[in-house]
Amino acid sequence: MLESPLLRLQRWHPRLRSHTLAALASVLVVLACNGRFWAAMLDGRALGAPRTWWWMAALALALWALHFVLFNLLFNRFTARPLAALLIVATAFAVYYMQRFHVYLDTSMLRNVLRTDVHEARELFTLALLPHLLLYAGLPLLLLWRVRIVRGPWLRSAVVKLLGTLAGVALLVGAVLAVYQDLSSIMRNQREARFLITPANYLYSLARVAAEEGAAGARPRQAIGLDAARLGAAAARQRPLLLVLVVGETARAANWGLNGSARMTTPQLAAMSDVISFTDVTSCGTNTEVSLPCMFSPLGRRQYDEARIRGSESLLHVLARAGVAVHWRDNQSGCKGVCEGLSEETLTPAKLPGLCDGERCLDEALLHDFKALLRPGKDQLIVLHQLGNQSAFANATNAQHQDQAALFLQYPLLKLYLFCYASTEQSGIHRNTPGRIQTNRCTRLRVVVRHRERRHVRLGVHRKRRQP
């Protein structure tokens, strides 16, 4: 009597040792989880050429050996199934986002993933992810659930694990040497290609991020600008200055209307006659985790050193040391260490029902009760970190809140210099005409809305000047 496939599956319980499971998992990784790596390695090669097949075979063996060594070291009779299940799910997510968004899972990207805003990350979970997870995670997990790990004598298992690891290392070295000339050339010219090897890419990056964060947490930030002080006219000035720095969100340079885009995306700015657009501005990175600390660092993009930037104080600490009252108001994922130890505030949706949907707040909420932040008689810097266009909720327009920007214009001591964020390469400044005040003197304020990935635009506050 023939049994149904379901009954066969219920009775199917293969008994495997941990090193055998590691070998099978490595085969799955090579065949199903490295599509982008294979595309990069086969780019420009003729598939029918014998040299290409030799190249593919050597790379496949190297990939298998690399992951077998890694899995063999991690798997034992207690950890094999739990770790394998965790790796299956994590790798399924990694493959999906690498294919969909063409990202590289290097240390920078892993750090950004670990520190991203929960609400922002939730928006990446779409229906398109479901069939991918069913194939790349559901099916392997179903097979893994039926596997039983054989528990042998610990001494014998240790010897087998050691010999297996040594054999894997030998295969890896041999495979790399077989195509070393071509492989070394690619890795020199396309160094980022190594971060396409999945799951070794995110495992390596995760370990490195953990090590760097542990080392950074064990030592205090390096102080900079210890001699910062207000000199000359700034020290003698009687009336306080206010600088509002608004850190914006990404918009494509090619779509920025002020710089010649075929579609006018900035009609209100274009209608003004006193707008300056900066077209030669380059960011340190394409994510908040990289660009925001760099923007406030003295090193900048040309001398970019991630370890030094994260291990030292920022411009905000220098200003605070010089006697400027610094306050950070956030509507996104935090200041990334830029305002560590300084006054900081995160918008709470529950306290602003008219401007928030329970999880997210419109950026107009950054102006809520703004006058309460002002400290009379003291120079002050207020940083407003926008959500920008990262979410569907943030892209919504709410006309009833647009007039809140007039709050700044109502403040009688200030002239506004409004810096409008543009894109990864461009920015602009809108200068309002100063109004006459009864004292015939005007404190000149620069209100800066600066893209969070910009750093080459110089900031400053002009001295007071008598009105004509």
Side-chain angles (χ1 to χ4, degrees), residues 347-367:
L347 295 181
T348 304
K351 296 181 180 180
L352 302 168
L355 294 169
C356 308
D357 68 345
E359 296 183 354
R360 293 283 203 176
C361 292
L362 292 172
D363 284 325
E364 285 86 350
L366 291 168
L367 302 181

Side-chain angles (χ1 to χ4, degrees), residues 14-309:
R15 299 173 61 82
L16 304 176
R17 297 189 181 275
S18 60
H19 59 271
T20 306
L21 180 61
L24 294 175
S26 301
V27 172
L28 177 64
V29 161
V30 173
L31 297 179
C33 302
N34 281 276
R36 286 197 61 202
F37 176 78
W38 285 116
M41 294 299 103
L42 296 177
D43 185 33
R45 294 178 178 269
L47 294 180
R51 183 181 179 88
T52 301
W53 286 95
W54 172 255
W55 168 252
M56 291 174 60
L59 286 183
L61 182 59
L63 279 182
W64 180 89
L66 172 65
H67 288 97
F68 171 73
V69 170
L70 183 61
F71 295 159
N72 195 42
L73 292 175
L74 294 175
F75 291 177
N76 58 45
R77 60 183 181 178
F78 302 107
T79 65
R81 291 182 63 187
L83 280 181
L86 181 62
L87 287 170
I88 287 172
V89 175
T91 302
F93 278 101
V95 171
Y96 175 79
Y97 289 113
M98 287 175 64
Q99 292 176 347
R100 186 173 181 84
F101 299 108
H102 296 275
V103 297
Y104 295 84
L105 296 184
D106 55 5
T107 53
S108 173
M109 182 58 65
L110 258 293
R111 184 177 283 108
N112 191 56
V113 169
L114 293 174
R115 294 186 176 181
T116 192
D117 182 81
V118 175
H119 304 304
E120 179 183 350
R122 187 182 303 168
E123 294 171 357
L124 296 176
F125 290 84
T126 62
L127 291 178
L129 178 61
L130 184 58
H132 176 91
L133 290 181
L134 290 176
L135 178 61
Y136 281 82
L139 183 58
L141 286 175
L142 177 62
L143 297 177
L144 179 64
W145 176 59
R146 310 302 299 174
V147 170
R148 297 292 181 266
I149 301 299
V150 177
R151 302 180 181 183
W154 71 267
L155 181 59
R156 179 183 176 184
S157 299
V159 171
V160 171
K161 182 179 293 290
L162 177 61
L163 293 178
T165 301
L166 294 176
V169 172
L171 286 175
L172 176 60
V173 173
V176 169
L177 291 177
V179 290
Y180 180 77
Q181 185 174 358
D182 290 345
L183 186 61
S184 61
S185 176
I186 290 178
M187 291 305 168
R188 281 195 306 268
N189 298 313
Q190 303 178 36
R191 298 185 62 184
E192 69 279 2
R194 66 185 187 275
F195 289 108
L196 296 176
I197 302 175
T198 312
N201 50 4
Y202 70 77
L203 292 175
Y204 166 78
S205 298
L206 187 62
R208 184 172 174 181
V209 167
E212 291 177 354
E213 293 296 326
R219 60 177 183 269
R221 288 181 178 268
Q222 181 182 357
I224 60 175
L226 296 177
D227 57 346
R230 288 173 290 184
L231 304 175
R237 187 179 62 246
Q238 298 299 318
R239 303 183 65 172
L241 293 180
L242 171 65
L243 173 66
V244 177
L245 177 65
V246 183
V247 183
E249 182 50 49
T250 304
R252 286 179 55 84
N255 296 338
W256 192 240
L258 284 179
N259 293 313
S261 173
R263 178 188 176 190
M264 177 47 65
T265 56
T266 55
Q268 296 182 7
L269 290 176
M272 301 175 183
S273 60
D274 54 354
V275 172
I276 302 173
S277 180
F278 293 90
T279 59
D280 188 18
V281 181
T282 308
S283 68
C284 290
T286 57
N287 57 72
T288 312
E289 195 65 34
V290 171
S291 57
L292 193 59
C294 181
M295 191 174 82
F296 289 90
S297 166
L299 297 179
R301 184 176 183 272
R302 293 187 178 181
Q303 299 178 347
Y304 182 79
D305 186 325
E306 185 175 1
R308 288 181 61 191
I309 290 175

Side-chain angles (χ1 to χ4, degrees), residues 273-461:
S273 60
D274 54 354
V275 172
I276 302 173
S277 180
F278 293 90
T279 59
D280 188 18
V281 181
T282 308
S283 68
C284 290
T286 57
N287 57 72
T288 312
E289 195 65 34
V290 171
S291 57
L292 193 59
C294 181
M295 191 174 82
F296 289 90
S297 166
L299 297 179
R301 184 176 183 272
R302 293 187 178 181
Q303 299 178 347
Y304 182 79
D305 186 325
E306 185 175 1
R308 288 181 61 191
I309 290 175
R310 295 186 179 280
S312 64
E313 293 179 340
S314 70
L315 169 65
L316 301 186
H317 296 92
V318 177
L319 292 174
R321 188 170 289 116
V324 178
V326 178
H327 181 78
W328 184 286
R329 176 175 276 192
D330 200 273
N331 190 31
Q332 211 202 87
S333 55
C335 68
K336 310 301 180 184
V338 169
C339 63
E340 183 178 301
L342 303 175
S343 177
E344 182 181 6
E345 172 191 4
T346 301
L347 295 181
T348 304
K351 296 181 180 180
L352 302 168
L355 294 169
C356 308
D357 68 345
E359 296 183 354
R360 293 283 203 176
C361 292
L362 292 172
D363 284 325
E364 285 86 350
L366 291 168
L367 302 181
H368 177 74
D369 200 18
F370 188 84
K371 289 184 179 180
L373 301 179
L374 303 180
R375 301 179 61 179
K378 191 174 183 61
D379 289 346
Q380 192 172 2
L381 168 64
I382 299 176
V383 184
L384 306 179
H385 190 191
Q386 289 183 308
L387 175 64
N389 56 0
Q390 291 199 47
S391 69
F393 175 70
N395 284 325
T397 56
N398 197 333
Q400 64 179 344
H401 302 304
Q402 292 178 0
D403 60 347
Q404 294 195 31
L407 168 69
F408 295 112
L409 298 173
Q410 296 171 3
Y411 196 67
L413 301 180
L414 306 177
K415 168 187 174 180
L416 304 185
Y417 272 42
L418 178 59
F419 177 97
C420 301
Y421 77 86
S423 64
T424 310
E425 290 132 6
Q426 323 184 110
S427 309
I429 290 182
H430 166 224
R431 291 178 287 188
N432 289 327
T433 303
R436 188 181 298 274
I437 300 179
Q438 291 182 355
T439 60
N440 203 33
R441 291 177 22 153
C442 177
T443 301
R444 304 182 67 184
L445 165 73
R446 179 175 290 179
V447 175
V448 182
V449 181
R450 181 177 179 182
H451 192 290
R452 73 179 183 198
E453 298 174 359
R454 310 290 178 271
R455 58 164 299 278
H456 287 150
V457 179
R458 295 185 178 276
L459 304 180
V461 179

